[in-house]
């Protein structure tokens, strides 16, 4: 620890002055000066500090960088949109990819503006094992979306040999540094419990979590969402795996209250299970996902809405009826859609959403999806700003700013300390047992990584809508990733690529 005199005389690379520094782990909430050298926070002081670069944060909150443990948006345009949402680390845990090393090499070669990491994908392993035309995996979203042409991987149980093949490639992904096993079971109603037991055992053996989109998605029995959640609690209890349940808000539909009670009871019994949620009443997935292949009456009873709640992301067109969606599924089975399952303008629906979002132990995550152009192509490359016609789910641009603006400033459901804990410290703690790098994330303390979000509490808000999603959030004044300024006084530096890989140690 430097003396007060040494602190004042030391020249830091960057000094953040006069900001309201909030650190959820130490509970610090006070005006402080922050000295950064290289990629590390070197000091936090009440004394004046000298720096080669000064950021005046008077009137602003200086926070640990926001950590998104559930993102599918890793192209440069998508990461830049998430930067304006305050995110410094974005991880692909729910779906994941394979081969893992190929994916990490691709991110490194192109350069990323945010820290990045992935799970090993059970769905990729299943597709390559069960679809002859897809036996050569590629670590891209396009390879995955193309697989929806071949529904057998969603509807059929695996053979003994197919399961063996899956476990082999998953284990290889773990050895290549995967952070978890991503289990996208919500797209595979044909999977049996025995297969999921073996996948959970594999993750437990390596001390990594499973990140699971539960198999069932329904308001009604049989095969309700609550049944699917109960399966996951059972897997965690019997295999010893750490279990992350993805997007509790959308997975549970109108049953969030009961689901949270179930999870809290399991956690109180020492079962290692947690979840995450996003502050929207709308989900996104490929149009040929199993739930959208159900007959109309079955779909309406299980989801509680009709076909006109579905919109095509690329064109923004609303689906009219069942015949319309069948036509779109045939013409482009991998295209992405938005489905509104709760209407946030209705008090009753907002109350249901609040049950997931306001729970103090549940992290917030975006489930951001890639950005599409009207012709259905994915937006890629060194592009900024996004074209106005680019489209995604609004949560791909505004999850964290919406959460802070609405739940803290406007509705006062949570304090700044409580809310920042849910988007920085809690996500880091979710992974840090198996990923040492996460012990340096989500904290604004001396010796921690200089991932820092500086925002205006009076203005922070999302602007993206279903109709116009390519709108950056407002209020993120500065963003530092590994000590490199990425956003400077509301403007993006398009020349820098400060993102680092988050990866388990490869032995």
């Amino acid at each position: 620890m430097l003396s007060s005199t040494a602190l004042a005389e030391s020249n830091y690379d960057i000094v953040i002055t006069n900001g309201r520094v909030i650190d959820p782990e130490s509970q610090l909430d006070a005006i402080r000066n922050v000295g950064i050298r290289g990629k590390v926070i070197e000091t936090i002081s009440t004394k004046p500090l000298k720096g080669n670069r000064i950021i005046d944060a008077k009137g602003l909150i200086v926070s640990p960088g926001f950590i998104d443990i559930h993102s599918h948006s890793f192209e440069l345009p998508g990461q830049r949109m998430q930067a304006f949402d305050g995110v410094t680390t974005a991880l692909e845990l729910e779906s994941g990819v394979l081969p893992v090393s190929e994916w990490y090499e691709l991110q490194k070669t192109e350069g990323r503006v945010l820290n990045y990491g992935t799970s090993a994908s059970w769905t990729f392993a299943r597709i390559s094992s069960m679809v002859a035309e897809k036996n050569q995996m590629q670590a891209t979203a396009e390879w995955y979306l193309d697989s929806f042409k071949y529904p057998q991987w969603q509807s059929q149980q695996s053979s003994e040999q197919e399961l063996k093949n899956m476990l082999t490639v998953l284990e290889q992904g773990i050895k290549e540094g995967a952070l978890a096993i991503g289990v996208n079971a919500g797209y595979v109603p044909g999977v049996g419990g025995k297969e999921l037991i073996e996948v959970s055992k594999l993750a437990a053996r390596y001390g990594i979590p499973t990140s699971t989109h539960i198999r069932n998605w329904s308001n009604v029995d049989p095969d309700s969402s609550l049944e699917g959640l109960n399966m996951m609690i059972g897997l965690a209890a019997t295999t010893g795996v750490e279990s992350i349940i993805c997007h509790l808000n959308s997975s549970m539909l109108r049953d969030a209250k009961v689901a949270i009670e179930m999870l809290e009871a399991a956690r109180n019994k020492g079962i290692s299970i947690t979840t995450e949620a996003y502050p929207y009443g709308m989900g996104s997935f490929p149009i040929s996902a199993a739930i959208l292949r159900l007959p109309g009456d079955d779909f309406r009873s299980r989801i509680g809405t009709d076909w006109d709640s579905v919109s095509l992301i690329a064109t923004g067109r609303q689906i009219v009826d069942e015949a319309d969606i069948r036509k779109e599924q045939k013409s482009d089975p991998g295209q992405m859609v938005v489905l509104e399952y709760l209407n946030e303008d209705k008090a009753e629906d907002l109350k249901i959403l609040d049950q997931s979002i306001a729970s103090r132990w549940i992290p917030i995550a975006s489930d951001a999806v890639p950005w599409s152009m009207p012709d259905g192509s994915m937006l890629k490359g060194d592009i900024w700003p996004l074209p106005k016609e680019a489209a995604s789910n609004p949560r791909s641009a505004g999850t964290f700013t919406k959460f802070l603006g609405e739940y803290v400033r406007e509705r006062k459901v949570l304090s700044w300390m409580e809310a920042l804990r849910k988007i920085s410290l809690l996500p880091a703690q979710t992974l840090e047992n198996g990923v040492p790098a996460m012990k340096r994330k989500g904290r604004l303390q001396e010796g921690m990584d200089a991932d820092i979000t500086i925002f205006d509490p009076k203005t922070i808000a999302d602007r993206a809508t279903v109709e116009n999603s390519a709108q950056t959030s407002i209020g993120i004044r500065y963003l530092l990733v590994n000590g490199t300024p990425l956003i400077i006084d509301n403007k993006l530096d398009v020349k820098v690529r400060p993102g680092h890989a988050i990866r388990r140690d490869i032995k």
Side-chain angles (χ1 to χ4, degrees), residues 327-395:
K327 180 180 177 181
E328 290 290 344
Q329 287 169 336
K330 184 176 181 180
S331 66
D332 187 359
Q335 66 179 303
M336 297 293 291
V337 301
V338 172
L339 183 152
E340 184 180 41
Y341 62 91
L342 291 175
N343 185 342
E344 296 172 49
D345 293 329
K346 294 182 178 180
E348 179 183 0
D349 284 13
L350 184 60
K351 182 178 179 181
I352 293 170
L353 183 61
D354 285 353
Q355 289 164 349
S356 298
I357 304 308
S359 293
R360 285 160 175 76
W361 61 273
I362 297 178
I364 301 299
S366 75
D367 196 4
V369 293
W371 290 80
S372 300
M373 296 300 287
D375 64 359
S377 63
M378 194 175 297
L379 189 65
K380 293 184 173 186
D382 189 0
I383 298 169
W384 192 257
L386 268 63
K388 291 182 179 179
E389 63 271 25
S392 186
N393 190 305
R395 69 190 186 211

Side-chain angles (χ1 to χ4, degrees), residues 408-419:
V408 183
R409 184 186 62 244
E410 295 177 10
R411 297 173 56 203
K412 297 179 172 53
V413 176
L414 297 164
S415 68
W416 290 112
M417 182 71 75
E418 290 168 332

Side-chain angles (χ1 to χ4, degrees), residues 238-259:
T238 57
T239 69
V241 71
E242 294 183 38
S243 180
I244 304 168
I245 307 300
C246 296
H247 43 53
L248 189 74
N249 54 308
S250 59
S251 291
M252 292 300 113
L253 296 167
R254 307 190 75 85
D255 286 324
K257 183 176 183 294
V258 177

